[in-house]
Amino acid sequence: MTASEPHLQFITQRPREDGCGVVTLQMLTGRRYDEIANLFDWTGKPQHQTNWSELRPVLAGLGWQLGEITAAAGWDDIRCLAIVHVMDDHFMLYDGRSGVFYDPWEWEGPQQMSNRVPLSFVTVAPPKA
């Protein structure tokens, strides 16, 4: 990781069943859960479930550089830092350069492998200084 890349702190969403998108952005940005959640419109939603159309504008509004939503045939398709939508409607981070998975549904922290099936991803880079 270079000085321009973010230091990712692992945060688990367990035992909560909502918020994987918010927790993913929390790990990526280093901001508090409530601070990130307040950037979404949760009006009328009992759970903080997110999708690409909500995640991307929030992250862009925080100054992050984003790639396009790209379909993934497997983890080898992802070669840099990315938010990944995986099977069972869940979001996580994957650093394709180092091969480290940051899955907020895990207890143990970042992993070197994942049984999750990637569906799509968006590459991300920190705001330019």
Side-chain angles (χ1 to χ4, degrees):
M1 188 174 302
T2 67
S4 65
E5 294 176 27
H7 171 74
L8 302 177
Q9 176 188 6
F10 178 77
I11 301 169
T12 183
Q13 79 187 77
R14 287 186 166 191
R16 298 175 61 114
E17 290 190 16
D18 65 345
C20 63
V22 176
V23 175
T24 298
L25 295 188
Q26 182 184 11
M27 286 190 283
L28 190 62
T29 66
R31 295 175 183 239
R32 292 183 1 259
Y33 183 95
D34 291 338
E35 184 180 353
I36 296 293
N38 286 335
L39 299 174
F40 292 88
D41 180 9
W42 301 121
T43 307
K45 294 182 180 180
Q47 292 187 318
H48 295 172
Q49 295 177 329
T50 55
N51 56 42
W52 283 128
S53 64
E54 295 168 327
L55 285 173
R56 293 184 84 241
V58 166
L59 202 53
L62 294 172
W64 283 74
Q65 302 166 64
L66 308 171
E68 295 299 318
I69 299 170
T70 305
W75 291 108
D76 290 341
D77 291 349
I78 307 168
R79 303 204 183 275
C80 45
L81 184 60
I83 299 171
V84 185
H85 185 234
V86 296
M87 202 170 277
D88 296 331
D89 198 21
H90 178 64
F91 285 102
M92 60 188 282
L93 290 175
Y94 175 60
D95 187 341
R97 290 178 299 258
S98 63
V100 178
F101 298 87
Y102 296 83
D103 185 346
W105 195 245
E106 293 292 335
W107 284 108
E108 301 300 321
Q111 303 290 316
Q112 293 294 316
M113 57 184 283
S114 176
N115 292 327
R116 299 234 184 232
V117 177
L119 301 173
S120 59
F121 67 95
V122 168
T123 58
V124 293
K128 292 182 180 179

